[in-house]
Amino acid sequence: MAAKTTINEIARLAGVNPSTVSRVLNSATAGMISTEQRKKIEAICDKLNYRPQISARSFVTGKTYKIGLISGYLEIDLTQPLFALYVKGLCNQLQANNYTVTLISVNTEEKKREDEILSLLRSKIADGYVLGAILLTEKIKQVLHQSKTPIISLNFHAPYDAEGFSTVIIDDIQAYRDIWYRIPPGMKIAYVGPDSRNTKSKLARVKEAACLNHIDTSSIDEIFFPVKATSFLAGRTNAFEFAVKNIKKLRGYDLLWCPSDFTALGIADALKFAGLKPGKDIFLIGENNIETFPGFTPNPWLSTVFPQLEKAGEVTARLMLEQIASGDASEQRIQVESVYIPRQSFPKTIKPRTKI
Amino acid sequence: MAAKTTINEIARLAGVNPSTVSRVLNSATAGMISTEQRKKIEAICDKLNYRPQISARSFVTGKTYKIGLISGYLEIDLTQPLFALYVKGLCNQLQANNYTVTLISVNTEEKKREDEILSLLRSKIADGYVLGAILLTEKIKQVLHQSKTPIISLNFHAPYDAEGFSTVIIDDIQAYRDIWYRIPPGMKIAYVGPDSRNTKSKLARVKEAACLNHIDTSSIDEIFFPVKATSFLAGRTNAFEFAVKNIKKLRGYDLLWCPSDFTALGIADALKFAGLKPGKDIFLIGENNIETFPGFTPNPWLSTVFPQLEKAGEVTARLMLEQIASGDASEQRIQVESVYIPRQSFPKTIKPRTKI
DNA sequence: CTGAAAGCGCTTACAG
DNA sequence: CTGAAAGCGCTTACAG
């Protein structure tokens, strides 16, 4: 009991060679060992609560069993509910495979940080890297790109800002097509969102989806409202304030389609204020499925496009582990499809355009 | 160039013993080596872009150079703006000392997870651990407690739910006292917040602060409104809806003091709606300094209590490194004082109760 | 101030 | 199916 439990100690107690214990402990080699021996060894390990020390294992295999999550602005990235879900999926899937996520913060003092990152990369701090928001300097991107380790970036929209890296892409086209199928012809529609690159990129995809469905979108109106604050934390209030001032314009539509749930909810707040019944007098569609985020509301109401971020995290983990195992870090793209979730704000009972 | 750059390679090129190179590379031992030798070796390391491999270093020193951040619900913890700032401070301070943060998720399937965590602990996945929200099972807490590694938990409020662990405590008493000094006598005050344990615990401290200032608080009214959604994401809307319905009651006060900025901002929204001028007709105080969170607003307006979470992260990192270095993981408590930031919602120009 | 050597706890060809 | 042995790339007493 006094001696530190090591593989040698286990081997001694089991009366076998350390290599036999090692083989039992690794799933890839466990099959080599006879069931009898294996049982005996496992029993001893369990009794002594023995787990192989990862730093020793790391050292000898040359793997760190870590994936680095590189972020330019941790406090921004992490607070995004969608990104947090992604991290959760990533973590869980990795942990199930004896890997963990290491946070790497790259924020202040560009020059200095750059060196730090390069230093971290050279010290082999992780077997692969995941890029959060692409707020990285060109040089870091370049160095990452040149390194032979697998690197995967998360991508929400079509324009690939991370050329040269493998990407997991959140693909909303199918969900948008789904929505289009459910919209009766002749409905007056406005796409309403804050005046931002994100809104426009989503609108472009909404139109692309219509196009794929052979639906004419020339009649869809576009309403972009200016915002001083870009954080999603201010999104609902921004939308509310805009909608209150422009209620006359908005109430002229049958359906208001928004790039985010916060926008849709803010507009719904304003409609209610004006005595209207959103979901009856006027339909709303959002995006992100924020209502099912823990603690948000017990009664989700908003019809929404649900981006499968937790799944995207799991997919990222699997791709990463695969690339590490195979040693092939070549560029790959995987799409994770968003799902349309109809709720009361745009009920299923609306007579659809076509059979679904 | 073909050979992997290792310490032996550097030693060969420098014509010295590997141990000399090792000593140069470690700040603790660098002083042993003559300046001349050191310069020469450093130059060679730089030229070859050599960094010692941490897994080898880990293995030989028995340290992982990692701090585990254990969270029960990653997606909840990480999205809290305050917690994200804490993580940022923690990460940066650790990185400055060649440490990094490893995320450890402990969410689903309690029983199974428990074993996983115990397994991780036994594999020596980190040199110390930070507990996020204390959503851990009793057994895990117990095992953590028994392990000899340093463990630090973050604590926002007085009731110490993590007995037995070192704690970094966010202490708001000074900020509350500061506020009390600035409140003229005779002001009609209500403390308004969602009906929650958090609100009540903060109110208790607000009263404690008054007491320390020898101010009678029997006249402060308490208004707790029910909420269905507990997430801060719904906080502003919850407060707004409550305030709209109770505007008559609220407008009777000179000052509304709230446990969070979202509550205060929601109330301010409602006051404006009722044609009142918050900050002139009626004063507001919030907490968390959310307005300076990136992208929230270019013009912070709300007087608020600013909890120094980023600093708390740095303090945690330093305490952790100290405990690791000294091998003394005994329980410690460090307070990080919140700061009151007066802004327009409760201007400094109000004639204060006493000289400050 | 520097060198020679042992060793950290595993894994993995290589034999048998 | 199992054992004996080499070795991963560093650090650190121990000498000198």
Side-chain angles (χ1 to χ4, degrees), chain B residues 12-298:
Chain B
R12 201 180 55 74
L13 291 170
V16 300
N17 190 280
S19 54
T20 306
V21 179
S22 171
R23 289 183 183 113
V24 168
L25 259 26
N26 288 9
S27 48
T29 50
M32 296 180 183
I33 308 300
S34 68
T35 319
E36 191 193 11
Q37 291 263 49
R38 200 166 56 214
K39 294 262 150 121
K40 185 173 67 181
I41 292 168
E42 278 168 353
I44 296 176
C45 289
D46 277 357
K47 206 177 69 189
L48 298 194
N49 258 337
Y50 168 76
R51 283 315 113 122
Q53 201 173 294
I54 25 168
S55 30
R57 185 177 269 179
S58 266
F59 174 55
V60 67
T61 59
K63 287 180 190 164
T64 62
Y65 304 100
K66 296 273 182 296
I67 300 300
L69 178 63
I70 304 184
S71 164
Y73 287 88
L74 266 188
E75 76 279 26
I76 300 181
D77 283 352
L78 294 181
T79 47
Q80 311 280 350
L82 293 183
F83 191 72
L85 284 171
Y86 177 73
V87 173
K88 185 191 176 189
L90 183 69
C91 262
N92 286 340
Q93 190 61 41
L94 288 175
Q95 275 180 221
N97 290 278
N98 287 319
Y99 266 74
T100 46
V101 167
T102 288
L103 249 36
I104 300 173
S105 163
V106 208
N107 47 1
T108 45
E109 293 177 67
E110 208 164 290
K111 276 287 158 220
K112 235 180 120 194
R113 278 291 174 192
E114 218 165 69
D115 291 345
E116 270 188 54
I117 296 304
L118 303 184
S119 189
L120 287 173
L121 290 182
R122 272 190 247 107
S123 346
K124 288 207 205 164
I125 204 164
D127 300 336
Y129 298 89
V130 172
L131 306 181
I134 316 296
L135 296 165
L136 306 178
T137 63
E138 271 312 312
K139 187 169 171 207
I140 290 180
K141 281 198 212 176
Q142 207 180 308
V143 173
L144 283 173
H145 198 176
Q146 281 163 7
S147 83
K148 289 294 182 311
T149 43
I151 294 167
I152 303 179
S153 75
L154 176 63
N155 203 304
F156 278 89
H157 306 297
Y160 303 113
D161 15 343
E163 284 294 343
F165 300 120
S166 289
T167 351
V168 170
I169 301 166
I170 303 301
D171 183 30
D172 35 22
I173 283 286
Q174 274 308 322
Y176 292 159
R177 293 187 69 177
D178 230 47
I179 295 174
W180 277 116
Y181 281 128
R182 293 161 190 266
I183 297 178
M187 213 174 222
K188 277 207 75 181
I189 309 171
Y191 194 82
V192 193
D195 190 356
S196 71
R197 187 162 156 260
N198 178 41
T199 296
K200 282 162 191 169
S201 132
K202 284 193 179 168
L203 174 57
R205 295 168 69 70
V206 164
K207 287 181 174 176
E208 188 186 332
C211 194
L212 289 168
N213 283 16
H214 307 292
I215 293 170
D216 174 40
T217 58
S218 57
S219 66
I220 185 172
D221 281 354
E222 301 170 10
I223 302 176
F224 304 140
F225 56 88
V227 283
K228 272 176 275 177
T230 55
S231 167
F232 71 97
L233 292 170
R236 187 166 183 169
T237 303
N238 284 340
F240 176 71
E241 285 174 357
F242 161 76
V244 164
K245 283 185 201 142
N246 296 272
I247 201 78
K248 271 180 231 151
K249 185 172 180 185
L250 294 176
R251 67 189 301 166
Y253 294 97
D254 300 315
L255 169 65
L256 301 174
W257 190 338
C258 308
S260 91
D261 289 341
F262 283 114
T263 301
L265 290 170
I267 293 176
D269 293 341
L271 293 175
K272 279 187 232 161
F273 241 76
L276 291 162
K277 290 204 175 69
K280 302 200 85 177
D281 304 331
I282 187 163
F283 301 126
L284 280 163
I285 294 174
E287 182 154 347
N288 292 347
N289 197 25
I290 196 72
E291 286 187 305
T292 60
F293 201 80
F296 195 84
T297 170

Side-chain angles (χ1 to χ4, degrees), chain A residues 83-330:
Chain A
F83 191 72
L85 285 172
Y86 177 73
V87 173
K88 184 190 178 189
L90 184 69
C91 263
N92 286 341
Q93 190 62 41
L94 288 175
Q95 274 179 223
N97 289 278
N98 287 318
Y99 266 72
T100 46
V101 167
T102 289
L103 248 36
I104 300 173
S105 163
V106 208
N107 46 2
T108 45
E109 295 176 66
E110 208 165 290
K111 274 288 157 219
K112 237 180 115 193
R113 278 292 174 193
E114 216 164 71
D115 291 346
E116 271 188 53
I117 296 305
L118 303 185
S119 191
L120 288 173
L121 290 182
R122 271 189 248 109
S123 346
K124 288 208 205 162
I125 204 164
D127 300 336
Y129 299 89
V130 172
L131 305 181
I134 316 294
L135 296 165
L136 305 177
T137 63
E138 271 311 313
K139 189 170 169 205
I140 290 181
K141 280 198 211 173
Q142 207 179 310
V143 173
L144 283 173
H145 198 176
Q146 280 163 7
S147 84
K148 289 294 183 309
T149 43
I151 295 166
I152 303 179
S153 76
L154 175 64
N155 203 304
F156 279 89
H157 307 296
Y160 303 113
D161 15 343
E163 285 294 343
F165 300 120
S166 289
T167 350
V168 170
I169 301 166
I170 305 300
D171 183 30
D172 34 23
I173 283 286
Q174 274 308 322
Y176 291 159
R177 292 187 69 176
D178 231 48
I179 295 173
W180 277 116
Y181 281 127
R182 293 161 191 266
I183 297 178
M187 212 173 224
K188 275 206 75 181
I189 309 171
Y191 195 81
V192 193
D195 190 356
S196 70
R197 187 162 155 261
N198 178 42
T199 297
K200 283 162 190 168
S201 132
K202 284 194 178 166
L203 174 56
R205 294 169 68 71
V206 164
K207 287 181 173 177
E208 188 186 332
C211 194
L212 289 168
N213 283 17
H214 306 293
I215 294 169
D216 174 39
T217 58
S218 57
S219 65
I220 184 172
D221 281 354
E222 303 171 8
I223 303 177
F224 304 140
F225 55 87
V227 283
K228 272 178 277 178
T230 55
S231 167
F232 71 95
L233 292 169
R236 187 165 182 169
T237 302
N238 284 340
F240 176 71
E241 286 174 358
F242 161 76
V244 163
K245 283 186 200 141
N246 296 272
I247 201 80
K248 268 180 230 149
K249 185 172 180 185
L250 293 176
R251 67 189 301 166
Y253 294 97
D254 300 315
L255 168 65
L256 299 174
W257 190 338
C258 308
S260 92
D261 289 342
F262 283 115
T263 300
L265 290 169
I267 293 176
D269 294 341
L271 293 175
K272 280 187 229 160
F273 241 75
L276 290 162
K277 291 204 174 67
K280 301 200 88 177
D281 303 330
I282 185 163
F283 300 126
L284 279 163
I285 295 175
E287 181 153 348
N288 291 348
N289 198 25
I290 196 72
E291 286 188 305
T292 59
F293 201 79
F296 194 85
T297 171
N299 307 307
W301 163 86
L302 186 65
S303 299
T304 193
V305 169
F306 180 25
Q308 313 271 7
L309 265 293
E310 192 168 344
K311 187 176 163 198
E314 291 164 8
V315 165
T316 303
R318 276 192 289 265
L319 174 57
M320 189 67 92
L321 292 169
E322 204 183 294
Q323 294 203 335
I324 291 168
S326 68
D328 170 21
S330 64

